[in-house]
Amino acid sequence: MIAMNEEEILLFGPPKKIKELSFGVLSPEHIRKMSVTTIVQADTYDDEGYPINGGLMDPKLGVIDPGLRCRTCGSKFGECQGHFGHIELSRPVIHVGYAKEVYDILKATCKECSRLLLPEDRLAQYHTRLEEEGVRGSIRQAIIIEVLSEAAKKKGVIKDTTCPHCGTEQAKIKFDKPTAYKEGDKKLTPSDIRERFEKIPNEDVVLMGWNPECARPEWSILTVLPVAPVTVRPSITLESGIRSEDDLTHKLVDIIRINQRLRENLDAGAPQLIVEDLWELLQYHVTTYFDNEVSGVPPARHRSGRVLKTLTQRLKGKEGRFRNNLSGKRVDFSARTVISPDPNISINEVGVPLFVAKELTVPERATHRNLERLRGLVLNGSEAYPGANYIIRHDGMRKRVSDITKDILAEELDIGYVVERHLCDGDIVLFNRQPSLHRLSIMAHEVRVMPYKTFRLNLCVCPPYNADFDGDEMNMHVPQTEEAQAEARILMRVQEQIISPRFGEPVIGGSQDYLSGAYLLTKRSSFFTRDQVAQMIYVSDIPSASLPEPAKIEGDVPYWSGKQVFSLLLPSDLNIEYKAKVCQKCEMCEGVNCKYDAFVRIEGGRLVSGIIDGATFKARSNCKLLDKLVKDYGTDTGRIFLDSVTRLILQATAIIGFTTGIDDEDIPKAGAVLIDKIIFEGKEKVDKLIETYRQGYLEPLPGRSVEETLESKIMQALAEARDKAGDISERYLGMNRGAVIMAKTGAKGNMLDITQMSASLGQMSVRGTRLHRGYINRSLSSFKEDDLSAEARGFVSASYKKGLNPKEFFFHAMGGREGLVDTAVRTAQSGYMQRRLMNALQDMSVRYDGTVRTNDDIIVQFAYGEDGIDPAKSTYGKAVDIDWIVHKNLNSHTEG
Amino acid sequence: MSDSTINILKHNLVPEHVVLTPEEEEAFLVQYKINRYNLPLIKTSDPVIKMLEEEQNISLKGRIIKIIRTDSPAGEGVYYRYVIE
Ligand SMILES: [Mg+2]
Ligand SMILES: [Zn+2]
Ligand SMILES: [Zn+2]
Ligand SMILES: [Zn+2]
């Protein structure tokens, strides 16, 4: 609510609460009553440049020139919101917005007595139904549609076409879009229709879905046209001094002109034909005044040929009033710039450039506790940091802090003053990246003021924003009240969002180098000297870490294992076992003795065995450790773990070193020969299949034609060959290669990608089939027609490293294109669906009785999600993780 | 019910529909502090409602139907619908 000052309260009384709004149709009397003047002149300004009285720019309609006062209310420019005028139409016209409703009512009412074409008993029945069931809008609508269509004899009990009230035979009504009606062969003029509508009794109006108190049907036929205040259609004075009028004004000029000509012709008793033509022209101008995009009506144009933007065009669409100015608008106290990574700040923080911090302010009220600090800030002025930009006195008077005024203002500063000080470290701000698809797209961060010009972001927070640093920009908003700041800090802070509200998986966590780095840190062969460990502990900011006994002593030098260092981050009562991402899925799991060290066991906060990788703390994955830390130990523990582990891993990676290169895909000669042989055998097998098919010996699979059978067998054979080639190459690709580490730990890519680089790309496909289109019965002109062989249908035996020949390259491009098109189409479709769903669901809430209801209390679900479970508090969608609870209790028992 | 029609109530994809007794309705409406028009709706033209009406030989218009779903990913889900024309 906008705060009122004392003067306003004296004038208008205390602020009032809006109880309800009612929407209706303006009646002619209402239009005249709210009008300050009738507009009779089609002109705007006289030769001297003064607005003409009774013209479209009549000074009573409001002020658009600074310095002038409103002729109606006496207010200045900017204070007066403008006043309506009106035009008395010489003949009534249809309001396009209600053309459809007019048609419905015409069809449903008697031409003679204007009653609804339903017998009294049916009317009574509908009245009771409306009273009983009409409480709910959707049911009410359904009943009204039923009434109208039954009365219009589309269906229902009465089959004859006479009025049940007066017995008059009814003629068929034809609607000639957008605003013409015919009864039988006779044209219905708006006057005829209006006359009919006037006679409809209020009881019948109710049944047609109108509330006669604020919307009588005859009001949808205009006899008086409201003229919008000048403030909504201001004229602009160009540099050349020529006035340029708003589109609405142009349209109103047209209306008044035709209206006058029609009046003159009527008064002179002009022939019917001329009157009708002018009347139709008036209808055209009024129609396009409301909506200049009605189908079947040529849009009204400006002299230059530009299509005019009239009332509907101002509201509609993305650039319209609703989507551009009401649902979304530009705001103060916000900033936008490019983002870049900073692994050294907390996930809770955001790095804010100094020049942004000096522009954006937080209002802080002076108390006896902070007065001296605030005085210091004011004394610093607005140029130095940290300073202040404004101070606000007790009376609401706002003073800019400048180099000249800062000393006086600092002197004046007193308890109760508000200081708009620069953004400081620790202030809470909202951070956002478009498209804002889910609630994690806006999170609260703590400010860290930094040099340079980009927003800095911890890498763990990239997944929820879907941010990267290839030029992405993000927005920042500064909450201006203590309530807003507290709310943001408690509900929206990054650490509170580690667990996704979707189904309880962490959305904030490690990715990419953090995962391959974790592998390097914790693999069995990783040992660190005392100095290295000290350095690691220092950068990762582990509080009160005490070094355990060294894992080994070689010569005289003590060494600590990476597992020992990692353990320093874990709570001392943590016990957990799970399989790491690098697990090879051995037939018999050997647990702690796994030869790949893939079995993670943590005992009393000590990492006893296993490699730390994606399975431990990868964002947006079913990771095993991070979610337990957050759910069992709280979000603080989760945040501290992430902040520390990432820095620890970076330090370890810096010590050990990590790289990838094209030699990661090198396969020794023996392997290469083997791969070539397998591919060759696969192709041979395909040739044999084709041969069998050509001879007519191929047995069709059940439910398939011979051709389909051949196709599927070929695909199978080639897939097999590719897989085998992949297996061979995998055999040579050990964990000593960077690319393999990245794939196996879940950092980036997968083994398929690597085998595509090292062994063979395999079959290219479009829409799930081998490539066959392009030319008649062949994929490329260099093949014979109906060549079904592997090469002719898009099998690429080369690897990326070896290089593709031209044909293979083209096939690869065909497959790649499909992928690109698919993603483009998918994002467009899902974006539209998202908008629709959000609009439909945004006002629903879970109530205290557990039900999900809409704004008007209509129940949508009797328990949220049918089970009343908050997915954010569940473990990967399940309400309770029984295994984990049992495990924890067993452990505490054995300890106790 | 003619022999050629299938009793959809017995189909395993159709959840169990129970007609609440007037007493049950009363208690239900009190429990959720609502009137019946705030409930989700089901039309009398719905095949299940038609079948129930035929089976029990009553008009269900204005009654409340309890639907017990066992195929919900959340386990057993109970839902209520108000029957309208
Ligand atoms: Mg990007
Ligand atoms: Zn005014
Ligand atoms: Zn009649
Ligand atoms: Zn194993």
Side-chain angles (χ1 to χ4, degrees):
Chain A
M1 203 206 305
I2 299 161
M4 294 173 93
N5 63 36
E6 277 165 48
E7 192 186 341
E8 280 172 323
I9 293 175
L10 278 175
L11 264 169
F12 306 112
K16 292 172 184 73
K17 209 173 163 185
I18 297 171
K19 202 172 128 208
E20 58 176 27
L21 289 172
S22 94
F23 291 93
V25 183
L26 290 180
S27 70
E29 296 90 76
H30 198 134
I31 295 170
R32 287 194 194 100
K33 221 171 98 189
M34 71 180 194
S35 159
V36 291
T37 179
T38 152
I39 310 291
V40 287
Q41 298 270 348
D43 298 310
T44 48
Y45 296 93
D46 63 18
D47 298 335
E48 271 100 70
Y50 289 106
I52 297 168
N53 285 331
L56 275 167
M57 286 295 162
D58 193 304
K60 285 184 195 147
L61 298 181
V63 263
I64 47 171
D65 299 293
L68 293 183
R69 282 195 177 263
C70 172
R71 199 70 70 78
T72 302
C73 66
S75 312
K76 282 184 289 188
F77 167 75
E79 285 168 11
C80 162
Q81 354 75 312
H83 312 276
F84 273 92
H86 77 277
I87 298 170
E88 294 284 347
L89 296 174
S90 311
R91 281 286 156 94
V93 290
I94 309 278
H95 186 312
V96 258
Y98 298 105
K100 170 86 190 357
E101 280 69 24
V102 168
Y103 177 49
D104 287 339
I105 297 173
L106 276 178
K107 279 190 299 179
T109 50
C110 171
K111 57 188 284 192
E112 210 39 59
C113 69
S114 288
R115 294 294 312 272
L116 257 177
L117 290 168
L118 290 173
E120 289 294 351
D121 57 325
R122 282 301 280 166
L123 290 178
Q125 274 173 27
Y126 276 122
H127 271 296
T128 35
R129 257 186 79 187
L130 210 56
E131 235 158 78
E132 280 175 11
E133 300 169 34
V135 200
R136 181 150 157 194
S138 59
I139 306 181
R140 190 186 175 80
Q141 276 310 308
I143 296 171
I144 280 148
I145 288 167
E146 211 182 312
V147 171
L148 288 172
S149 60
E150 191 178 319
K153 308 220 168 48
K154 271 190 193 145
K155 58 172 188 193
V157 281
I158 354 160
K159 285 279 172 331
D160 67 325
T161 51
T162 56
C163 171
H165 304 281
C166 68
T168 313
E169 178 81 22
Q170 302 294 319
K172 197 167 158 52
I173 305 278
K174 258 177 59 193
F175 180 27
D176 199 358
K177 272 180 188 164
T179 48
Y181 304 90
K182 261 180 156 180
E183 186 163 51
D185 294 326
K186 211 185 124 253
K187 245 193 96 191
L188 280 176
T189 65
S191 306
D192 299 336
I193 299 169
R194 193 160 204 283
E195 224 167 276
R196 262 188 215 185
F197 284 6
E198 278 168 4
K199 288 190 292 180
I200 305 173
N202 277 349
E203 308 89 75
D204 289 6
V205 170
V206 172
L207 283 187
M208 293 185 280
W210 296 55
N211 174 4
E213 305 227 324
C214 50
R216 284 278 314 176
E218 64 266 24
W219 299 343
S220 58
I221 292 140
L222 301 162
T223 55
V224 183
L225 186 74
V227 173
V230 286
T231 42
V232 299
R233 44 181 182 92
S235 47
I236 324 158
T237 317
L238 298 172
E239 286 153 48
S240 52
I242 306 163
R243 272 194 194 268
S244 168
E245 295 302 328
D246 190 273
D247 283 4
L248 284 184
T249 311
H250 281 303
K251 210 55 243 181
L252 285 166
V253 168
D254 292 340
I255 292 172
I256 295 170
R257 270 210 195 111
I258 300 304
N259 194 42
Q260 254 164 5
R261 262 173 62 197
L262 180 57
R263 160 98 8 97
E264 283 157 19
N265 276 284
L266 285 170
D267 291 347
Q272 188 66 24
L273 219 66
I274 292 176
V275 170
E276 259 175 42
D277 274 0
L278 283 172
W279 195 350
E280 247 168 59
L281 201 52
L282 182 66
Q283 175 75 63
Y284 166 79
H285 284 306
V286 174
T287 301
T288 48
Y289 173 65
F290 284 116
D291 185 356
N292 205 11
E293 280 170 357
V294 188
S295 63
V297 176
R301 286 168 193 277
H302 189 253
R303 274 193 303 275
S304 61
R306 179 177 58 86
V307 175
L308 294 175
K309 269 188 104 181
T310 52
L311 287 173
T312 306
Q313 281 64 51
R314 282 193 175 194
L315 309 178
K316 246 168 108 185
K318 209 176 193 168
E319 250 90 82
R321 204 91 321 143
F322 289 104
R323 276 175 72 181
N324 217 11
N325 304 111
L326 293 164
S327 306
K329 48 171 80 76
R330 287 166 182 269
V331 291
D332 286 338
F333 304 105
S334 62
R336 178 182 173 97
T337 183
V338 175
I339 51 165
S340 50
D342 189 339
N344 296 316
I345 61 171
S346 165
I347 57 167
N348 271 345
E349 292 178 312
V350 58
V352 178
L354 184 68
F355 77 101
V356 171
K358 289 204 292 202
E359 192 65 44
L360 297 180
T361 55
V362 179
E364 196 172 330
R365 192 170 288 274
T367 63
H368 67 273
R369 287 166 179 275
N370 66 7
L371 185 60
E372 280 319 304
R373 197 185 88 238
L374 290 178
R375 183 164 286 150
L377 293 177
V378 175
L379 219 43
N380 270 345
S382 59
E383 295 298 315
Y385 180 84
N389 289 353
Y390 286 94
I391 70 166
I392 300 163
R393 294 202 192 124
H394 296 294
D395 59 359
M397 183 73 165
R398 176 184 282 269
K399 286 274 170 189
R400 169 95 211 176
V401 180
S402 69
D403 268 350
I404 306 149
T405 57
K406 64 185 186 189
D407 297 306
I408 311 158
L409 292 178
E411 183 76 25
E412 184 192 335
L413 194 66
D414 198 4
I415 287 167
Y417 273 49
V418 174
V419 176
E420 295 198 329
R421 45 151 259 249
H422 290 162
L423 213 52
C424 290
D425 283 4
D427 280 336
I428 198 88
V429 293
L430 302 186
F431 205 41
N432 158 245
R433 180 182 176 275
Q434 281 107 349
S436 311
L437 294 176
H438 55 183
R439 73 176 207 208
L440 309 178
S441 291
I442 305 177
M443 290 190 285
H445 290 248
E446 283 160 18
V447 169
R448 273 282 282 272
V449 179
M450 293 179 161
Y452 309 118
K453 302 207 160 174
T454 57
F455 284 135
R456 253 54 62 83
L457 194 59
N458 185 297
L459 291 114
C460 292
V461 222
C462 287
Y465 290 121
N466 195 15
D468 49 38
F469 305 104
D470 59 3
D472 290 24
E473 292 180 47
M474 285 181 73
N475 317 306
M476 191 184 83
H477 298 267
V478 186
Q480 295 289 302
T481 65
E482 279 88 0
E483 293 95 321
Q485 286 159 10
E487 202 166 84
R489 202 180 284 277
I490 292 165
L491 299 172
M492 302 173 71
R493 199 150 62 128
V494 173
Q495 73 174 58
E496 310 301 330
Q497 324 293 333
I498 296 174
I499 302 298
S500 150
R502 190 152 56 118
F503 58 96
E505 72 173 359
V507 260
I508 294 165
S511 58
Q512 305 203 359
D513 273 3
Y514 288 138
L515 306 178
S516 29
Y519 168 84
L520 297 179
L521 172 71
T522 57
K523 66 185 172 127
R524 276 178 186 154
S525 55
S526 286
F527 288 97
F528 301 91
T529 63
R530 188 184 184 88
D531 282 359
Q532 289 173 327
V533 172
Q535 182 69 13
M536 280 151 76
I537 291 173
Y538 171 67
V539 294
S540 51
D541 197 17
I542 302 166
S544 66
S546 56
L547 266 189
E549 285 299 302
K552 68 174 183 187
I553 299 175
E554 246 167 45
D556 268 348
V557 192
Y559 286 98
W560 284 265
S561 73
K563 288 189 169 70
Q564 282 182 303
V565 182
F566 178 81
S567 302
L568 296 173
L569 301 171
L570 301 173
S572 59
D573 59 344
L574 182 71
N575 296 290
I576 190 171
E577 281 174 4
Y578 60 88
K579 286 189 182 121
K581 192 90 202 295
V582 293
C583 176
Q584 298 292 301
K585 320 239 156 47
C586 323
E587 265 171 44
M588 250 293 286
C589 188
E590 295 184 51
V592 184
N593 300 318
C594 173
K595 66 172 174 227
Y596 306 105
D597 198 16
F599 189 82
V600 181
R601 170 175 286 172
I602 293 166
E603 273 175 20
R606 246 166 20 88
L607 179 60
V608 177
S609 83
I611 283 164
I612 298 302
D613 59 12
T616 304
F617 68 114
K618 184 182 179 181
R620 306 182 131 278
S621 78
N622 192 337
C623 62
K624 301 292 192 299
L625 182 68
L626 179 58
D627 80 298
K628 301 276 176 340
L629 285 178
V630 177
K631 286 167 191 163
D632 289 5
Y633 295 87
T635 53
D636 276 330
T637 311
R639 185 247 308 155
I640 292 165
F641 174 77
L642 274 179
D643 284 346
S644 304
V645 81
T646 49
R647 276 182 263 175
L648 172 66
I649 288 167
L650 285 195
Q651 188 62 32
T653 314
I655 293 168
I656 299 166
F658 182 75
T659 186
T660 183
I662 196 150
D663 56 349
D664 276 359
E665 284 80 41
D666 274 342
I667 304 268
K669 189 90 185 155
V673 170
L674 214 54
I675 288 166
D676 285 347
K677 192 169 152 253
I678 285 165
I679 301 282
F680 182 74
E681 281 168 4
K683 286 179 182 171
E684 248 181 0
K685 204 170 160 193
V686 172
D687 290 340
K688 250 182 235 150
L689 278 165
I690 296 167
E691 188 56 29
T692 332
Y693 162 73
R694 296 241 193 264
Q695 287 165 349
Y697 292 135
L698 193 71
E699 281 292 321
L701 291 165
R704 301 231 204 151
S705 69
V706 192
E707 285 74 23
E708 285 167 351
T709 309
L710 176 69
E711 206 46 39
S712 99
K713 287 206 164 158
I714 291 175
M715 298 254 276
Q716 216 179 325
L718 290 173
E720 208 174 282
R722 209 218 74 88
D723 287 348
K724 265 198 218 158
D727 287 344
I728 303 282
S729 74
E730 261 197 80
R731 221 179 287 158
Y732 293 96
L733 300 170
M735 283 301 251
N736 53 342
R737 300 172 187 232
V740 179
I741 293 177
M742 289 192 283
K744 294 235 161 119
T745 55
K748 193 83 199 178
N750 53 42
M751 283 315 284
L752 184 82
D753 295 334
I754 297 179
T755 56
Q756 281 199 327
M757 289 188 263
S758 60
S760 161
L761 256 70
Q763 181 68 51
M764 300 295 109
S765 71
V766 169
R767 297 195 190 169
T769 61
R770 297 203 294 157
L771 307 177
H772 57 94
R773 302 198 307 171
Y775 293 85
I776 299 164
N777 294 330
R778 52 186 170 164
S779 55
L780 281 177
S781 54
S782 50
F783 297 109
K784 290 208 170 87
E785 275 191 40
D786 293 312
D787 186 348
L788 294 176
S789 67
E791 295 93 341
R793 289 290 158 101
F795 183 80
V796 179
S797 38
S799 64
Y800 280 122
K801 184 163 176 255
K802 197 159 140 201
L804 279 61
N805 67 36
K807 281 181 249 173
E808 289 176 327
F809 186 85
F810 192 82
F811 288 141
H812 180 249
M814 287 172 78
R817 170 70 66 87
E818 192 193 29
L820 288 183
V821 171
D822 277 6
T823 34
V825 171
R826 247 203 321 274
T827 44
Q829 284 177 341
S830 67
Y832 181 54
M833 194 181 79
Q834 180 102 20
R835 271 186 64 81
R836 300 287 301 263
L837 281 173
M838 286 193 310
N839 280 325
L841 303 176
Q842 61 183 357
D843 293 319
M844 291 184 189
S845 57
V846 181
R847 307 296 174 87
Y848 285 117
D849 64 356
T851 57
V852 180
R853 303 192 191 201
T854 62
N855 245 350
D856 41 1
D857 263 4
I858 290 165
I859 295 189
V860 176
Q861 281 183 333
F862 290 88
Y864 175 73
E866 294 197 334
D867 54 8
I869 299 295
D870 178 358
K873 305 211 164 61
S874 68
T875 43
Y876 300 105
K878 279 188 298 181
V880 274
D881 188 349
I882 294 284
D883 294 341
W884 178 239
I885 291 169
V886 170
H887 168 88
K888 272 203 299 190
N889 282 310
L890 279 181
N891 260 302
S892 59
H893 271 284
T894 43
E895 272 164 34
Chain B
M1 202 182 303
S2 67
D3 294 334
S4 60
T5 51
I6 301 160
N7 186 349
I8 54 166
L9 299 177
K10 294 203 176 100
H11 194 284
N12 74 338
L13 291 180
V14 177
E16 192 186 348
H17 287 63
V18 185
V19 182
L20 293 193
T21 64
E23 297 79 47
E24 284 172 333
E25 278 184 12
E26 209 45 56
F28 167 78
L29 293 174
V30 170
Q31 184 197 335
Y32 284 103
K33 295 196 184 101
I34 42 164
N35 71 47
R36 51 193 72 226
Y37 304 108
N38 285 351
L39 288 172
L41 307 175
I42 191 166
K43 287 192 173 180
T44 44
S45 58
D46 188 283
V48 172
I49 299 301
K50 280 204 264 183
M51 188 72 61
L52 279 172
E53 284 186 330
E54 211 170 313
E55 224 178 50
Q56 307 184 5
N57 207 15
I58 48 165
S59 163
L60 289 179
K61 193 193 154 218
R63 300 287 294 271
I64 295 170
I65 308 289
K66 181 185 189 181
I67 302 166
I68 303 151
R69 299 185 181 136
T70 47
D71 59 344
S72 164
E76 193 182 89
V78 184
Y79 212 70
Y80 298 87
R81 284 182 186 280
Y82 173 59
V83 186
I84 58 157
E85 246 181 286

